Amino acid sequence: MSGEIAIDLMVNGTEHRIAVPPNLSLLDCLRDKVGLTGSKECCAVGECGACTVEMDGQLVNSCLCLAVEADGKAVTTAEAEDEDLGSVRDAFLQTGSVQCGFCIPGMVMAARAILRDEKADDAVAVREGLSGNLCRCGGYNRMFEAMARVSARQARAEAPTGPVVGTDVERSGGRARADGSQKFLADLTIDNVAHLKLVTLPVAHARIDGIDASAAWKVPGVLDIVTAVDLPQPLMHFGPVYKDRPVLAAAETRHHGEPVAVIAAETKEAAEEAALLVEVSYTALPAVTDIEAATAPEAPLVQPPELRPNDPRSGTNILNERVTEWGDLDAPGADVVVEGIYGFPMVTHFAIEPHGFIVDARSDRMTVWSPVQHPYLLQRMMADLFELPLTSVQVLAPDPGGGFGGKQNPKFEPLVALISRRIGRPCRLVLTLEETFQNVRRTATRMKMRTGFTKDGDLVFQDAEADYLVGAYGDISERVMAKGSYLGAGPYRTPNARIRARAILSHTTPATAFRGFGTPQMSWAYEGQMDKAARALGIDGLAIRMRNLARKGDEVVPGDFGADGHWEQSLQKAADLLGWQTPLPEGHGRGIAVAIKAGATTGLSNATVRLLADGSVVVYAGTSDMGQGARTIFAQLAADAFGAPMDRVTVVSGDTSAVPFDLQTSASRSTVFMGNAISKACEDLHRQLAEMAAELSGLELEQISVTNGIIHLPEAPVPIMDFVCAELRSWGGELVGTGRMRRHSLKDHPLGGTPAFFEFNCTAFEVSVDEGTGEILIHRHVTVGDVGKALNPLQVEMQDEGAAIMGLGHSMMEHLVLGENGEIRNLGALDYRIPTTKDMPLSLVTGIVENGDGPGPYGAKGVSEGAILCTAPALAAAVAQATGVVIDDLPLTPERVWRAVQTRDR
Amino acid sequence: MLGFDYARPEKFDDVIALLLEAGPEALMLAGGTDLVVALRHHVARPRLVIDLKRVEGFRAEIREEDGSLVVPAGTTMTEIVRDRRIQALFAALVEAANVVGSIQIRNRATLAGNICNASPAADTVPLLALYGASVEIAGTSGTRLSSVEDFVRGNRDTDLGEGEVVTAVRLPLPRQKTASTFERITRRRGVDLATVNLGCLLQADGTVRYALGAVAPRPLLVEGGGDPETLFDVATPITDVRAGADYRRAMLNVIAERALARARSAL
Ligand SMILES: Cc1cc2nc3c(=O)[nH]c(=O)nc-3n(C[C@H](O)[C@H](O)[C@H](O)COP(=O)(O)OP(=O)(O)OC[C@H]3O[C@@H](n4cnc5c(N)ncnc54)[C@H](O)[C@@H]3O)c2cc1C
Ligand code: FES
Ligand code: FES
């Protein structure tokens, strides 16, 4: 079409004359032409605000603005050097507002506008002013605090001196996230890269009758158009458990958005245009998208039985089953039996960073850039698929802009590698948010529960049928079912239990890991049962839980690892923070719930720590920092081990060819597994320091000991930093320490090993409900975690608040809505709702219980999932008390609450 | 976004000429908050995009003329919200404009664009109909006025003819004291499109009128005072991803009552 148009653009005070095509957005112009990649693309429809810039003094979404419209205008981006932006950045960092950081450049621009309007001290204006910017890490509460701080023009606090473990040190890498310089996957520039675009169908299940790409080939700049038949045969299949997922759909698509072809082109616009011109003739086939349909006797099979040879269930849609049982369900003693069927719908991760992949597979080596949570698993999978030695596959994993489980397992890396091989160029596939929705989601569940209690409220039995609706391919969802259902009786002393769980395939988005890993679904049911019993027996929700909660050492699954915390302390603390015993205001309702999740069970984490001649420390840790701030914790551990200032410690990760193996970043494992590995590497260095001190001083090794930061010599202690600076240079070189933590797998254990720790959480709410409209107003939201030891209390708070807000999302508004052909009807940000600043509770309080009883460094446990585990049942209990109606299906949308109230009144 | 040509005329006459030349393949661009979304989703595939923002008069000041407040087509929601005359005389329009999207959206979205886009869920359109507003349209044969009520004919369907462009929105100044309020239902408190919305106009003489949005292909005007049971029977809500038809219908009564109560206390 039309040629390029020259525009004059003043960006952050610098003038640019740029030639742009009319269909280039201001966002792409800033990113690709001006080279400022701070402004991000997520939704591309004006909902998320990640692209927010200021144009002629007004805040705008640069994704909805054409570059030509900005001709002659002044644009300010998050990279700008100005005082207001500086104060906002400082306040964001100090208050822990910056997690993954993907939303932050847009967010600081919105915050700056509030500050400039002199509204930073007005809480309502702050909520309004930030509501056009979504943060999926859930940093809103921290941001409110940041704005209060900015308005008070509080000076930057001095960095603390002394040990840093246990203090609120600033997030490592936070500054780069606040000034837009952090490079996420889509920000990388790779020479000569080709752009890929997927061709998909508008239905879930279809037979592909033919593909005509002739019109698409005519688009200038198209390099390749590939369908399954063009790829090496047999077609490559992959998956973390079953190799059931084809790189492209061959004869049949099994879920909405499964690609049938892929375009490679010189520009993303050309790829996009060509993708629209590929004509696919197909026949829509019946799609099974819910548990009833998938388990009906005549249900179409989602996967052909050949995909799972040797599997006795391959003639059904049941991917796997698990039964966890103990005691005797028929044992007498139950005075009251409560029943319920609990529905938890499909929800999607909605990381603000959409998924993206770059692969350079031109030669017999391969470089893969992927913001994946498990770089080493990806490396091994690619090596296996392409029959390469591990040394020839390098995975570079830029920090994810939010993962939440969605970025654990490989998605399109194999396909991108195949195309890169075919065309002999590096290839890049960055998904839209809509496409991202089509590729990751949480398992939906239906739990049928029967629970027996004595008249005093003691649990007698728990009988559960836990059906997990997984997608068209197994991904890791079977493990989600296994882990979630294994603790299906909750954190209680349950004398008799049976949990029969199934993972059921369907023609829907492949379900994968998602924060909480099957537990929020399970707790929705068992905590719902607790409240049903409490109501039936006239016992208070706190009391019935206090009564049944496992005390430290009690086994929640007989024969397995016992309760590893004083969970009753968390329960009590949450009740106190909520004001459980205070008189209930008219029309209000309160609810409280608890849940546990099994932490990581097995696996290996390696760490290498280098102590350099000037006292600098370099930590090599393969953990991905997706917002949880792993790097900060690691740096704190190393800093204290050597008494080094934080700014002398660097943490290197994200490169499989430079950093040693770490199994994965998941299950809140990193602080414990990698943290211990680093502590051991530091101990290794302490030993080496003692040897060196002995050698240099002529003393016996036994006369010297080394503790955190100090070498104890007979005459006097010497700080490690002084010793290193004085001696290491002359000694020549540096010291290298290694450490690892590994937990063996146990063959007979249903989970392959006992959990290293439990994540325990208690959540409580006070709400009121507008019965006319069904809207819930949260007056107070409290969450308390049993964290062992908070290595960085601010980061624990960030994680807890973030998980809590994510929990509010699935409790109140999130669900994927499917159409008749299994197509997702609310793809993307316009109709899939997640919480904004205006949806925040009137008050959100997080608390922790620290008894130093975890297996990690200083007695820490993992923390990043706790506050999402039982948000929904606590909220529903509060709504039930306020309205008298009990709702067993999520989410509690205004409409659903209203409907329930109508039935009550009828 | 697929490719298109771009024009940035400086006169409404040039806009008209361009529109006639390119026919239905030309689309006008104001704030772009609807159009660019449509371009990105390939719902709109124009050959030519005509940017109105630098047309003379498009971004003129809001002015009073012949008993009306004339809001030039380029006036954004942010500007509507800040205008003192609109605040004083058309309070509900301010309330509605203030919930359109986020600050970022309101800084770009125009009042005229909200009308021309003709979405049944548009927040300002029912109110404009309620106030008896009209759009001023320029075309080859000069200017004409079309009442907002008639102009919006259905979902994405307006009375805009070939070679025509909306130049302003005219709000007749009320002849007696009135109070007006706006209410809507959304799925969350933050940015959202209306599940249903409603405007209420109460006059000093006690007459009440309502305007309903998102319950029919176009805004509906309803005289108040009738039987509450059947008052909103004209509504024909649908069930979609946002809500069920029965919820929409039930919410009309709930928000009407609230809107009227607020209007009474404001008068
Ligand atoms: C994230 C987001 C949230 C939103 N939330 C809301 C909401 O809560 N409530 C709501 O009502 N709307 C909402 N909208 C929709 C949108 O912002 C409004 O409809 C806006 O008023 C459109 O104005 P615009 O100037 O951006 O129009 P544009 O996108 O520029 O144009 C819209 C249409 O009108 C035509 N047009 C524009 N101006 C003229 C003219 N002068 N003459 C003739 N034709 C013209 C264009 O050709 C186009 O077809 C939202 C949009 C987004 C992206
Ligand atoms: S608002 Fe522009 S990318 Fe989401
Ligand atoms: S920090 Fe906001 S999305 Fe991650």
Side-chain angles (χ1 to χ4, degrees):
Chain A
M1 279 242 173
S2 77
E4 304 204 322
I5 299 172
I7 60 166
D8 291 311
L9 205 59
M10 172 86 90
V11 186
N12 300 337
T14 309
E15 282 194 44
H16 297 266
R17 167 151 272 242
I18 312 166
V20 295
N23 60 339
L24 188 78
S25 67
L26 175 60
L27 175 61
D28 283 345
C29 175
L30 291 168
R31 292 176 53 81
D32 301 337
K33 303 269 177 180
V34 182
L36 291 176
T37 54
S39 310
K40 306 296 178 204
E41 177 171 321
C42 163
C43 71
V45 293
E47 278 275 347
C48 76
C51 63
T52 301
V53 301
E54 188 190 79
M55 183 164 76
D56 276 356
Q58 294 224 305
L59 213 57
V60 301
N61 298 117
S62 62
C63 69
L64 291 188
C65 180
L66 301 177
V68 282
E69 293 179 72
D71 186 13
K73 300 198 180 264
V75 172
T76 307
T77 71
E79 286 98 338
E81 289 300 329
D82 79 43
E83 205 184 310
D84 292 334
L85 210 41
S87 349
V88 167
R89 286 188 196 117
D90 285 348
F92 266 52
L93 288 167
Q94 283 165 47
T95 52
S97 303
V98 182
Q99 297 191 41
C100 81
F102 202 81
C103 71
I104 296 296
M107 197 69 84
V108 294
M109 290 306 296
R112 170 180 178 268
I114 298 171
L115 181 62
R116 295 202 156 188
D117 277 354
E118 302 190 345
K119 298 253 178 67
D121 58 348
D122 172 347
V124 175
V126 166
R127 284 182 182 228
E128 177 66 47
L130 298 180
S131 67
N133 296 69
L134 298 175
C135 175
R136 188 55 154 173
C137 297
Y140 301 140
N141 218 35
R142 312 279 80 235
M143 293 167 195
F144 298 162
E145 203 178 308
M147 295 314 288
R149 205 178 263 247
V150 173
S151 74
R153 304 237 170 235
Q154 275 180 23
R156 227 181 124 60
E158 286 299 312
T161 50
V164 288
V165 167
T167 69
D168 295 340
V169 296
E170 193 173 295
R171 185 201 193 298
S172 297
R175 200 145 282 279
R177 285 164 167 81
D179 67 15
S181 60
Q182 175 74 22
K183 295 287 180 215
F184 294 93
L185 180 111
D187 304 334
L188 302 175
T189 42
I190 310 285
D191 278 348
N192 202 31
V193 78
H195 297 261
L196 306 190
K197 181 77 188 173
L198 305 175
V199 178
T200 61
L201 303 180
V203 300
H205 187 205
R207 186 181 64 233
I208 303 165
D209 300 321
I211 299 180
D212 177 2
S214 50
W217 272 112
K218 298 202 181 93
V219 175
V222 167
L223 299 165
D224 202 358
I225 300 179
V226 184
T227 64
V229 292
D230 304 316
L231 293 171
Q233 305 294 323
L235 193 63
M236 196 179 270
H237 282 66
F238 66 100
V241 179
Y242 301 100
K243 296 201 177 353
D244 58 355
R245 183 177 176 133
V247 283
L248 278 178
E252 184 183 339
T253 60
R254 302 197 178 93
H255 69 90
H256 185 206
E258 179 168 23
V260 297
V262 57
I263 313 283
E266 293 290 354
T267 62
K268 72 175 183 196
E269 289 75 20
E272 178 185 341
E273 187 178 349
L276 286 175
L277 292 171
V278 174
E279 283 192 30
V280 185
S281 33
Y282 64 90
T283 310
L285 302 172
V288 292
T289 57
D290 58 35
I291 289 164
E292 285 73 24
T295 52
E298 298 301 312
L301 286 187
V302 176
Q303 294 192 347
E306 313 81 87
L307 267 183
R308 289 177 287 133
N310 314 324
D311 178 351
R313 298 181 193 87
S314 62
T316 72
N317 284 323
I318 298 177
L319 181 65
N320 209 345
E321 294 170 274
R322 294 284 185 131
V323 180
T324 307
E325 57 186 334
W326 63 87
D328 175 8
L329 287 188
D330 297 326
D335 300 314
V336 171
V337 175
V338 290
E339 302 193 18
I341 301 178
Y342 298 84
F344 196 119
M346 294 182 202
V347 296
T348 189
H349 300 67
F350 204 145
I352 302 300
E353 177 195 41
H355 292 214
F357 320 87
I358 304 174
V359 183
D360 186 350
R362 281 174 292 177
S363 58
D364 52 4
R365 277 188 55 79
M366 183 184 292
T367 308
V368 184
W369 290 265
S370 172
V372 68
Q373 291 171 233
H374 305 344
Y376 300 85
L377 289 188
L378 173 61
Q379 180 193 31
R380 195 168 67 206
M381 192 194 81
M382 294 300 271
D384 287 348
L385 287 174
F386 288 85
E387 296 177 357
L388 292 169
L390 280 172
T391 47
S392 300
V393 179
Q394 180 182 24
V395 174
L396 293 167
D399 287 349
F404 316 116
K407 290 176 182 156
Q408 282 191 9
N409 293 298
K411 294 282 169 324
F412 288 111
E413 292 88 342
L415 176 65
V416 180
L418 285 168
I419 310 302
S420 171
R421 276 224 170 144
R422 272 174 70 95
I423 65 172
R425 287 173 63 166
C427 291
R428 162 189 169 111
L429 173 66
V430 177
L431 300 184
T432 61
L433 184 66
E434 289 83 354
E435 290 167 329
T436 302
F437 274 30
Q438 293 176 320
N439 284 288
V440 286
R441 67 165 175 94
R442 189 190 283 281
T443 50
T445 54
R446 183 191 63 187
M447 309 288 187
K448 281 194 193 162
M449 311 290 288
R450 271 182 66 240
T451 317
F453 292 84
T454 65
K455 59 182 186 323
D456 298 330
D458 289 331
L459 260 167
V460 178
F461 71 85
Q462 184 68 272
D463 184 11
E465 278 175 50
D467 283 336
Y468 286 78
L469 185 75
V470 309
Y473 302 109
D475 200 287
I476 196 73
S477 58
E478 178 197 276
R479 177 115 181 121
V480 172
M481 175 272 288
K483 259 188 118 173
S485 64
Y486 182 67
L487 294 177
Y492 297 113
R493 291 178 299 232
T494 315
N496 309 289
R498 178 178 64 184
I499 303 127
R500 290 175 292 175
R502 300 188 292 180
I504 299 161
L505 293 162
S506 61
H507 292 112
T508 62
T509 303
T512 187
F514 192 163
R515 202 175 207 167
F517 210 75
T519 303
Q521 296 96 309
M522 202 68 246
S523 81
W524 171 235
Y526 64 67
E527 286 299 86
Q529 291 291 89
M530 273 290 166
D531 287 308
K532 285 206 171 106
R535 284 188 290 265
L537 293 164
I539 307 179
D540 153 288
L542 171 63
I544 197 167
R545 288 177 172 82
M546 208 39 113
R547 198 173 182 99
N548 288 289
L549 197 65
R551 297 301 190 270
K552 192 162 188 175
D554 288 349
E555 289 165 354
V556 294
V557 176
D560 202 343
F561 182 53
D564 61 346
H566 292 287
W567 296 340
E568 68 284 2
Q569 294 176 358
S570 300
L571 179 57
Q572 191 58 53
K573 186 159 184 177
D576 293 345
L577 286 171
L578 189 77
W580 190 264
Q581 306 300 354
T582 60
L584 188 65
E586 175 73 30
H588 286 211
R590 291 186 186 135
I592 196 161
V594 292
I596 46 166
K597 176 180 176 283
T601 50
T602 56
L604 170 68
S605 293
N606 281 309
T608 302
V609 178
R610 288 164 61 198
L611 183 56
L612 308 188
D614 62 351
S616 311
V617 183
V618 190
V619 178
Y620 294 81
T623 301
S624 103
D625 191 333
M626 50 189 169
Q628 84 283 42
R631 214 169 275 158
T632 319
I633 300 290
F634 300 161
Q636 284 176 266
L637 291 172
D640 279 4
F642 306 112
M646 280 292 283
D647 58 9
R648 279 296 178 94
V649 185
T650 312
V651 180
V652 180
S653 57
D655 181 350
T656 56
S657 56
V659 181
F661 182 91
D662 178 30
L663 180 70
Q664 47 191 243
T665 306
S666 65
S668 308
R669 66 181 281 131
S670 303
T671 298
V672 171
F673 279 71
M674 186 54 81
N676 276 342
I678 291 167
S679 292
K680 286 187 187 164
C682 293
E683 284 164 23
D684 183 14
L685 281 172
H686 282 174
R687 258 189 312 277
Q688 297 181 37
L689 282 165
E691 282 165 16
M692 196 177 125
E695 186 188 318
L696 292 174
S697 61
L699 290 163
E700 291 300 317
L701 194 54
E702 297 74 59
Q703 294 174 273
I704 300 168
S705 67
V706 182
T707 57
N708 265 1
I710 307 282
I711 302 179
H712 302 273
L713 297 173
E715 62 272 32
V718 183
I720 294 180
M721 282 297 105
D722 294 354
F723 177 81
V724 165
C725 294
E727 310 291 353
L728 202 48
R729 207 179 295 266
S730 56
W731 189 78
E734 65 180 41
L735 298 179
V736 181
T738 59
R740 68 164 177 252
M741 169 159 177
R742 175 155 198 272
R743 275 174 67 94
H744 296 283
S745 47
L746 299 174
K747 258 217 175 67
D748 298 333
H749 194 284
L751 300 181
T754 61
F757 56 89
F758 288 116
E759 225 178 314
F760 178 86
N761 178 272
C762 180
T763 294
F765 284 97
E766 182 169 325
V767 306
S768 59
V769 176
D770 178 337
E771 293 198 354
T773 63
E775 270 184 306
I776 300 168
L777 179 64
I778 300 174
H779 295 267
R780 202 161 170 81
H781 178 171
V782 170
T783 163
V784 177
D786 180 59
V787 305
K789 161 83 183 168
L791 300 179
N792 184 327
L794 184 60
Q795 280 200 183
V796 171
E797 197 169 350
M798 286 156 74
Q799 284 296 303
D800 276 345
E801 288 185 358
I805 294 164
M806 198 173 233
L808 280 183
H810 71 226
S811 302
M812 299 179 76
M813 57 187 83
E814 295 181 37
H815 60 147
L816 290 166
V817 182
L818 302 190
E820 251 172 37
N821 287 310
E823 76 283 9
I824 304 173
R825 291 171 64 206
N826 57 343
L827 277 183
L830 285 171
D831 275 312
Y832 185 90
R833 311 282 63 182
I834 62 173
T836 70
T837 44
K838 285 166 85 174
D839 299 291
M840 287 289 288
L842 298 182
S843 101
L844 170 62
V845 181
T846 62
I848 51 176
V849 167
E850 286 182 290
N851 290 317
D853 47 7
Y858 299 83
K861 303 177 188 176
V863 299
S864 59
E865 299 170 277
I868 200 175
L869 298 181
C870 54
T871 322
L875 182 69
V879 170
Q881 190 178 44
T883 60
V885 298
V886 177
I887 302 174
D888 290 340
D889 286 304
L890 289 175
L892 305 181
T893 58
E895 182 174 355
R896 177 164 277 141
V897 173
W898 173 81
R899 281 185 197 289
V901 170
Q902 298 310 298
T903 25
R904 176 199 69 189
D905 293 347
R906 228 175 267 139
Chain B
M1 272 183 268
L2 303 177
F4 47 77
D5 282 328
Y6 173 82
R8 195 159 63 202
E10 287 172 7
K11 298 251 182 268
F12 277 118
D13 283 348
D14 300 334
V15 175
I16 294 161
L18 284 164
L19 283 170
L20 289 174
E21 198 183 299
E25 296 200 300
L27 286 180
M28 288 173 271
L29 169 69
T33 58
D34 281 316
L35 185 65
V36 178
V37 174
L39 291 172
R40 285 189 176 271
H41 289 170
H42 313 122
V43 181
R45 298 187 187 188
R47 193 179 61 71
L48 174 68
V49 167
I50 306 170
D51 188 350
L52 302 176
K53 280 187 294 298
R54 303 196 196 186
V55 170
E56 195 184 316
F58 184 73
R59 301 265 311 118
E61 297 283 320
I62 299 172
R63 62 183 189 279
E64 222 179 289
E65 196 180 284
D66 307 332
S68 286
L69 210 54
V70 181
V71 180
T75 308
T76 63
M77 298 297 175
T78 301
E79 288 158 349
I80 297 286
V81 171
R82 289 195 185 144
D83 189 274
R84 287 198 193 285
R85 288 157 298 184
I86 300 183
Q87 287 168 4
L89 300 172
F90 307 100
L93 180 60
V94 171
E95 291 177 5
N98 213 10
V99 297
V100 169
S102 57
I103 289 180
Q104 289 93 317
I105 296 290
R106 295 195 286 277
N107 282 343
R108 300 274 290 169
T110 62
L111 186 68
N114 203 222
I115 305 168
C116 294
N117 191 55
S119 155
D123 282 315
T124 67
V125 180
L127 289 170
L128 292 168
L130 189 63
Y131 292 129
S134 3
V135 287
E136 198 177 275
I137 302 166
T140 33
S141 47
T143 18
R144 66 179 178 104
L145 287 180
S146 172
S147 72
V148 170
E149 195 186 347
D150 295 334
F151 181 77
V152 178
R153 293 197 299 213
N155 187 4
R156 317 277 158 184
D157 181 17
T158 67
D159 170 38
L160 199 67
E162 217 174 292
E164 288 192 321
V165 50
V166 170
T167 54
V169 182
R170 286 178 166 262
L171 281 155
L173 298 173
R175 263 168 275 148
Q176 53 171 309
K177 191 163 165 43
T178 62
S180 61
T181 50
F182 171 79
E183 292 280 335
R184 68 171 189 164
I185 297 284
T186 52
R187 293 163 295 179
R188 68 176 178 199
R189 289 190 167 76
V191 182
D192 201 0
L193 293 173
T195 300
V196 294
N197 63 25
L198 173 143
C200 168
L201 181 65
L202 173 67
Q203 306 211 331
D205 63 11
T207 47
V208 182
R209 290 184 97 198
Y210 297 102
L212 322 179
V215 287
R218 48 192 297 270
L220 301 174
L221 292 179
V222 174
E223 297 296 332
D227 175 7
E229 288 284 306
T230 54
L231 190 58
F232 298 124
D233 277 1
V234 285
T236 51
I238 55 162
T239 294
D240 64 8
V241 286
R242 263 173 252 147
D246 55 340
Y247 181 65
R248 286 196 157 98
R249 187 178 285 285
M251 287 310 103
L252 283 177
N253 287 86
V254 173
I255 60 180
E257 201 178 300
R258 293 179 184 183
L260 182 58
R262 278 207 297 124
R264 288 220 165 97
S265 58
L267 196 69

